[in-house]
């Protein structure tokens, strides 16, 4: 697979250097839009512009742009004039056109929408009204549909006359008010007798979602029930559009990226090949937040500096205590947020989860406390240091386990994404608490440490 | 959607308390296997056993087990005897049976395989030979197929006679040696004239994968080309099976969980409702690794303890320097591993990525260095402390950015999962390095700090 594709890519690149436009055009027609994107991203700016022009001339530009990673779009749009973009968007499926529009600045959006003719423009304006990340914002409004009262043969002829470009495997049956009455599987249609009414073939109990539903929730439905597509209906069951499984894969990937990024203190778009300026701008706020929490820890240490001068072993073990208790917090937090994201927390109660994570923190705290206390005793040769280390670790690790469970569960209750920033909060609190307990105990037993 | 489902669940739970087996059976037949799993997990052990028995009696147990999260299976299998399991597995699709077998201990696997009759047993034994996480291990071996030379009408009749339970939308056309010659879309079949030969309808250029291909790679193909299914063929193009999009969603979710878990220092299975013992056992090795790296840092601090006693401000700012440089490392690491996981690193060269991340580390280092240096100067009132802080931070953050990019890219070159453990390594090295530079500079300029 891959070998054949990289051959195509090499050929196209050579053609862009030396070949005629006609040959490039022919070559482009055979290459999948996703592969054109990869070739595109490897070209010089001037070559990119030429490639884009040829893509417009063979009407493949829209499909190629649709496959681009979102962070590339703002670099490409300025090179294309409004009229070209409007024509292109008018010819795309509305959900694809909507995706591209969403990646433009609002001013440009309006300018281009004005150039798109009436029925399509209204569709697009409607789609832009749905909240970001809602089912409505990702649905395909051109669902293949028929009205009740048709026969199997009639349906086949209707479909043949209205050939859709996309792979349609389900046909939506609506009543005269466009309300969804059932879903017809293409396979059942194929096997049916010509005169069978569609009402006898269709499935009346299909799952539906409202246009306001969160797309992450929609993705969970697809995964849970192994769906290939799902109709979007309003309160009166009027069919608004369809969500298909290929969009769902993108959603699952996006949501996973978002969760991973939140954990590491990152905001989209920040990719391997985002510009340096973009990456710095995206990472700086998280870094500043981190500085704030780190300085809180420094304040605590500053408060105990006299103890440290008298028993410098306290300074030696400070980072060990902080790192281990922060680690328990992050482990717990990750398990809980992931369980929430995968919809697995339906499997039992939050209280049970919190109790278990407290217990895990206690067990790990006892084991690591004994280990670190032992190391401290043997290294520094002071039994009290060992005891202080053990006690501080047990307490800090129980807190880490508790916070790692309580914070994301509380955020979910408040309808905030549980992954968002909770890592920074958990680490900050466990750090400060571990410094306080360790240096506090050290100060109380200072005479035994000197 | 959700409301109706939780109604069913409530009803079933009440039935399990008071109802007759007959009523429970009727109720279970109407509930989706995924929903039965949720109800199952909320029951007491004795109720679970009863539910399982009824599921076996209505032959729905296999489908319900197939939908269970992997960590629940080891709790359920011991309650079912070998014979029942063997009958159930023999009736499941081979890929589903294979999934369940993979979640058993090897001894049990063999005992049960022996009880499954010949053709199915051989299929399953074959599937178990493919490496874990390979395309072969997840494919469905019962691909709907026909041999070359049939007409459209002949194909439809053949399919009608061999009705498959699963939603088939593609039919695979093979030659007399079972080699794949093309793929037929059900829609094209529906629209074709009866006498058209399938050779004229089928797509000869479909993407295929080998059975040894990594399933993560397979998922990337699906996402990139918006596929619904993909045939698995051997070197001679013999059709071995088919991978379908519903498996791909599970793969994408699993891989995301794996990456998130590696970053936080976690190993599967470790979920919100894993047992406490399981969680402790899974987290302890990572914790021990963390202790090791933390003690390395402690060694460095111990080496410089005399400087700390003389200038205790060094101890106050130690965690700030370590946390910020570790943070740059984790941010960079996350961006790079995520780009690798999403297959986006096809978009340009590794060298370019490393250079950019070094640059980002330098920029962030300069900004944070100035900030922390300023705070240090104003708080402690010593300009040299500010200078030392700034210099140490710039160096440590450039290193963090560099390592965050170099380590995962090097791991990918060595065909190791880039996410695995690289977080611990990056943080350990940046911590030790930041301690060394900060305390080293502090020792050189000690007279100015006192």
């Amino acid at each position: 697979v891959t070998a054949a594709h990289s051959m195509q890519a090499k050929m196209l690149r050579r053609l862009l250097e030396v070949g005629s436009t006609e040959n490039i055009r022919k070559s482009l027609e055979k290459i999948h839009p996703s592969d054109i994107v990869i070739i595109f991203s490897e070209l010089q700016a001037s070559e990119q512009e030429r490639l884009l022009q040829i893509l417009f001339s063979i009407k493949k530009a829209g499909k190629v742009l649709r496959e681009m990673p979102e962070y590339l779009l703002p670099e490409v749009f300025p090179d294309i004039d409004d009229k070209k973009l409007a024509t292109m968007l008018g010819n795309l499926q509305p959900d694809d056109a909507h995706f591209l529009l969403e990646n433009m600045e609002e001013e440009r959006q309006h300018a281009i929408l004005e150039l798109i003719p009436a029925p399509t423009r209204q569709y697009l304006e409607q789609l832009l009204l749905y909240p970001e990340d809602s089912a409505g914002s990702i649905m395909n409004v051109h669902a293949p549909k028929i009205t009740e009262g048709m026969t199997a043969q009639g349906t086949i002829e209707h479909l043949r006359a209205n050939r859709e470009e996309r792979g349609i495997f389900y046909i939506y049956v609506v009543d005269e008010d466009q309300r969804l009455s059932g879903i017809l599987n293409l396979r059942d249609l194929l096997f049916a007798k010509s005169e069978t009414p569609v009402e006898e073939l269709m499935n009346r109990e299909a799952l539906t979602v409202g246009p306001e539903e969160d797309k992450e929730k929609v993705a969970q439905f697809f995964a849970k029930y192994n769906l290939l597509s799902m109709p979007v209906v309003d309160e009166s069951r009027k069919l608004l559009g369809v969500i298909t499984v290929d969009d769902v894969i993108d959603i699952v990937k996006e949501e996973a990226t978002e969760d991973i990024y939140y954990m590491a203190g990152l905001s989209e778009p920040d990719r391997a090949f985002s510009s340096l300026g973009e990456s710095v701008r995206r990472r700086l706020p998280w870094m500043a937040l981190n500085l704030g929490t780190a300085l809180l820890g420094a304040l605590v240490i500053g408060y105990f500096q006299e103890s440290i001068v008298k028993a410098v072993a306290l300074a030696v073990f400070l980072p060990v205590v902080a790192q281990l208790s922060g680690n328990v917090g992050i482990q717990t937090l990750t398990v809980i947020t992931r369980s929430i994201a995968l919809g697995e927390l339906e499997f039992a109660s939050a209280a049970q989860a919190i109790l278990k994570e407290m217990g895990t923190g206690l067990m790990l705290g006892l084991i690591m406390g004994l280990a670190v206390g032992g190391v401290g005793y043997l290294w520094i040769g002071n039994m009290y240091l060992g005891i202080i280390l053990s006690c501080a670790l047990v307490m800090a690790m129980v807190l880490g386990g508790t916070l790692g469970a309580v914070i994301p569960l509380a955020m979910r209750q408040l309808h905030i994404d549980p992954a968002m920033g909770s890592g920074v909060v958990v680490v900050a609190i466990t750090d400060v608490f571990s410094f306080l307990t360790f240096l506090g105990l050290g100060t109380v037993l200072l005479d035994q440490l000197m």
Side-chain angles (χ1 to χ4, degrees), chain A residues 411-431:
Chain A
M411 288 174 83
R412 184 178 65 145
Q413 280 300 318
L414 300 169
H415 300 283
I416 311 170
D417 187 329
M420 191 177 158
S422 38
V424 180
V425 176
V426 169
V427 169
I429 302 181
T430 54
D431 270 10

Side-chain angles (χ1 to χ4, degrees), chain A residues 120-140:
Chain A
T120 311
R121 187 182 65 235
Q122 278 140 12
Y123 271 138
L124 289 173
E125 281 168 348
Q126 179 60 40
L127 283 178
L128 285 168
L129 287 181
Y130 290 115
E132 209 188 341
D133 296 336
S134 67
S137 78
I138 54 163
M139 70 186 178
N140 176 9

Side-chain angles (χ1 to χ4, degrees), chain A residues 43-114:
Chain A
L43 297 174
Q44 305 293 325
S46 63
E47 289 174 313
Q48 285 187 343
E49 225 169 294
R50 186 165 173 220
L51 179 58
L52 216 51
Q53 272 179 8
I54 303 177
L55 283 172
F56 270 105
S57 76
I58 60 170
K59 301 209 161 109
K60 208 170 174 172
K63 285 192 182 169
V64 172
L65 288 176
R66 178 63 185 89
E67 295 298 333
M68 280 197 187
E70 276 178 73
Y71 63 85
L72 277 181
L73 292 173
E75 291 173 28
V76 177
F77 283 144
D79 295 339
I80 315 170
D81 66 49
D82 287 3
K83 234 173 125 182
K84 257 189 179 163
L85 267 180
T87 316
M88 183 197 84
L89 291 174
N91 290 326
L92 277 180
Q93 294 280 349
D95 56 333
D96 291 339
H98 171 238
F99 170 83
L100 293 175
L101 276 169
E102 265 195 332
N103 278 287
M104 284 175 201
E105 285 156 40
E106 216 162 313
E107 242 174 88
R108 188 98 203 257
Q109 234 176 49
H110 291 300
I112 286 170
L113 274 172
E114 298 230 325

Side-chain angles (χ1 to χ4, degrees), chain A residues 104-373:
Chain A
M104 284 175 201
E105 285 156 40
E106 216 162 313
E107 242 174 88
R108 188 98 203 257
Q109 234 176 49
H110 291 300
I112 286 170
L113 274 172
E114 298 230 325
L115 297 172
I116 297 176
T120 311
R121 187 182 65 235
Q122 278 140 12
Y123 271 138
L124 289 173
E125 281 168 348
Q126 179 60 40
L127 283 178
L128 285 168
L129 287 181
Y130 290 115
E132 209 188 341
D133 296 336
S134 67
S137 78
I138 54 163
M139 70 186 178
N140 176 9
V141 291
H142 288 333
K145 61 185 171 187
I146 55 169
T147 25
E148 286 178 336
M150 276 181 143
T151 62
Q153 189 56 36
T155 305
I156 293 177
E157 274 155 27
H158 172 86
L159 290 174
R160 201 176 282 158
N162 298 279
R163 272 200 187 214
E164 286 259 351
E165 203 188 328
R166 294 207 176 184
I168 46 153
F169 294 114
Y170 295 101
I171 297 111
Y172 299 87
V173 186
V174 294
D175 65 15
E176 64 272 24
D177 296 324
Q178 298 292 310
R179 285 189 303 238
L180 184 69
S181 32
I183 298 182
L184 189 59
N185 184 323
L186 211 60
R187 191 175 51 132
D188 294 328
L189 190 60
L190 189 69
F191 295 156
K193 293 210 185 88
S194 311
E195 66 281 6
T196 315
V198 290
E199 284 81 356
E200 278 177 31
L201 298 171
M202 71 189 187
N203 171 12
R204 288 172 193 276
E205 286 177 11
L207 290 176
T208 60
V209 279
E212 314 283 334
E213 185 71 87
D214 183 16
K215 69 178 181 182
E216 194 171 358
K217 199 90 197 160
V218 175
Q220 286 181 2
F221 283 136
F222 270 80
K224 188 170 166 191
Y225 300 112
N226 295 329
L227 304 174
L228 289 176
S229 64
M230 200 170 180
V232 183
V233 298
D234 66 12
E235 319 84 61
S236 64
R237 271 187 85 76
K238 202 184 136 194
L239 181 66
L240 301 174
V242 178
I243 296 172
T244 50
V245 71
D246 51 318
D247 297 319
V248 169
I249 293 185
D250 292 340
I251 297 170
V252 173
K253 285 167 69 174
E254 264 171 45
E255 297 289 341
T257 303
E258 198 182 89
D259 285 355
I260 294 177
Y261 270 31
Y262 279 152
M263 267 188 52
L266 288 165
S267 316
E268 284 272 41
D270 187 346
R271 293 301 171 86
F273 298 100
S274 311
S275 73
L276 198 149
E278 180 83 25
S279 287
V280 171
R281 206 160 48 242
R282 297 275 166 193
R283 292 180 205 177
L284 204 50
W286 290 96
M287 207 52 105
L289 187 61
N290 243 285
L291 173 59
T293 67
L295 285 176
L296 271 185
L299 268 180
V300 175
I301 303 174
Y303 180 78
F304 288 106
Q305 51 183 293
E306 278 173 42
S307 309
I308 292 175
V309 171
K310 287 180 188 149
V312 75
L314 291 175
V316 173
F317 280 96
L318 255 190
V320 178
V321 175
Q323 193 169 327
L324 289 180
S325 50
N327 204 244
V328 170
I330 289 295
Q331 283 185 331
T332 309
L333 181 70
T334 305
V335 168
I336 300 291
T337 48
R338 198 64 197 144
S339 288
I340 294 175
L342 294 176
E344 286 179 0
L345 234 71
E346 299 178 75
F347 284 101
S349 74
Q352 210 177 322
I354 293 172
L355 268 179
K356 183 218 142 184
E357 294 301 339
M358 286 177 72
T360 308
L362 179 64
M363 287 295 299
L364 289 171
L366 287 170
I367 299 171
M368 299 315 284
L370 268 178
V372 176

